[in-house]
Amino acid sequence: MTSSGQYLLECVRRAGMLDVVAVEPASGGLAALAGIATRRDAPPVFVKAFAEPPDEDVFAAEADGLAALRELGGLATPEVILADRNLLVLSMLEPRPGTESFWEQAAHVLAGMHLSTVNPRFGWHRDNWLGRRRQVNTWSDDGFAFFAEHRLLRWLGEPRVEAALDTGDRAALERLCGRLPEVLPKQPACLTHGDLWAQNVMATADGRPALIDPAVSYMWAEVDLAHVWTTAPPPEAARFFAVYAELTSLDAGWRERMPIIQLRQHLAVLAQFDQDWGAAGLIRATLAPFRAR
């Protein structure tokens, strides 16, 4: 067993799950350690822990987000078996099928959630987490101000962001934030997953789309759309966007907005990881029209 598998095994046993005999590390996650736990007398479960938890509420917030997606949004999510300061245990899901029909179904369920959960305010009843950083969800009546303060400018104090972006970049971001009502249409708040890249889309045993690793809030629906659009979705997801756009009556300019809305996620990646997967370059390219000349 690898060191991460051994650590996870110790975590589940400390939590009282004494029938776990082994934990096989799982790939794909970036912020936490994760694995599949084999049990003597029950089906396997998915387990997740931090070597150093960023705060005591990180898994409680994730469990709350999964419940919201399921109960408010009507989406399939894993069952939460245990959530405490050090450990999250979930029922197992299946890898998503590599078919166009699966992604078309995903478009229907995501559009259904966005359309059915419109809310008068932006935010959430608690803060939660995006990776290892707290996501502030203080209620606001103004979506532009909420997005600027809590989704974009909040990253400027992070050491890796300070090191990667120069003075002109940071000024351009502040300038963009001041012009958000000019460059983005006014949109209502609705329940959003908040971290919707392809790795967080899985399937139930009967093949329905299921979501994991949320960072929920009431925010613009296009926050979710942008995350799928700009994080290299698989080829079979091409129809997802056309179906979603038809179901939600998106205007013709939605594709041009995606890089601006996705700035939040690129800044989060830049802030948390030594390898930024090109995030700094994408940030600069999006901010270029807002740099002083």
Side-chain angles (χ1 to χ4, degrees), residues 212-229:
I212 61 171
D213 289 351
V216 300
S217 66
Y218 286 109
M219 189 51 212
W220 300 321
E222 291 184 10
V223 166
D224 284 343
L225 187 66
H227 204 14
V228 185
W229 177 259

Side-chain angles (χ1 to χ4, degrees), residues 16 93 96 117 124 126 168 175 188 211-212 215 218 221 264 269 279 291:
L93 292 172
R96 66 175 185 273
T117 57
W124 191 239
R126 66 185 298 168
R175 193 172 295 112
L211 302 185
I212 61 171
Y218 286 109
R264 169 257 195 173
V269 168
R291 290 182 69 96

Side-chain angles (χ1 to χ4, degrees), residues 57-292:
D57 69 336
V58 60
F59 289 136
E62 184 169 341
D64 175 69
L66 290 170
L69 293 176
R70 182 174 59 255
E71 296 166 9
L72 301 177
L75 302 185
T77 64
E79 175 192 354
V80 177
I81 298 168
L82 184 152
D84 64 19
R85 183 184 188 279
N86 299 303
L87 184 68
L88 181 68
V89 182
L90 305 172
S91 62
M92 291 290 295
L93 292 172
E94 300 292 329
R96 66 175 185 273
T99 63
E100 289 187 358
S101 61
F102 173 84
W103 281 97
E104 290 181 17
Q105 189 178 4
H108 277 270
V109 298
L110 187 67
M113 180 179 77
H114 289 161
L115 293 171
S116 66
T117 57
V118 173
N119 195 68
R121 293 190 297 167
F122 296 81
W124 191 239
H125 67 90
R126 66 185 298 168
D127 290 351
N128 45 36
W129 294 81
L130 187 62
R132 296 184 60 89
R133 295 297 188 275
R134 184 173 290 279
Q135 176 171 270
V136 175
N137 292 317
T138 305
W139 291 110
S140 174
D141 294 326
D142 186 332
F144 297 114
F146 180 85
F147 188 68
E149 180 179 357
H150 298 310
R151 299 296 185 262
L152 296 182
L153 296 176
R154 63 84 68 230
W155 298 105
L156 288 185
E158 294 283 345
R160 286 187 177 91
V161 175
E162 292 283 350
L165 302 184
D166 63 24
T167 302
D169 296 325
R170 294 191 289 273
L173 181 63
E174 292 170 351
R175 193 172 295 112
L176 166 61
C177 286
R179 293 181 55 190
L180 284 174
E182 301 171 33
V183 298
L184 297 177
K186 188 174 182 178
Q187 304 172 60
C190 66
L191 183 63
T192 55
H193 176 281
D195 194 10
L196 194 60
W197 64 313
Q199 290 278 30
N200 287 342
V201 181
M202 300 190 70
T204 62
D206 59 358
R208 293 177 294 122
L211 302 185
I212 61 171
D213 289 351
V216 300
S217 66
Y218 286 109
M219 189 51 212
W220 300 321
E222 291 184 10
V223 166
D224 284 343
L225 187 66
H227 204 14
V228 185
W229 177 259
T230 58
T231 51
E236 62 267 20
R239 280 282 298 156
F240 169 90
F241 301 101
V243 172
Y244 181 91
E246 181 179 354
L247 291 170
T248 57
S249 302
L250 279 179
D251 64 272
W254 69 267
R255 295 171 183 82
E256 286 69 42
R257 298 194 288 272
M258 297 292 96
I260 292 176
I261 296 174
Q262 187 62 0
L263 274 173
R264 169 257 195 173
Q265 199 71 21
H266 293 324
L267 286 161
V269 168
L270 187 60
Q272 298 186 64
F273 304 105
D274 292 328
Q275 162 64 273
D276 75 0
W277 297 278
L282 291 167
I283 292 167
R284 292 191 192 94
T286 302
L287 292 178
F290 301 94
R291 290 182 69 96

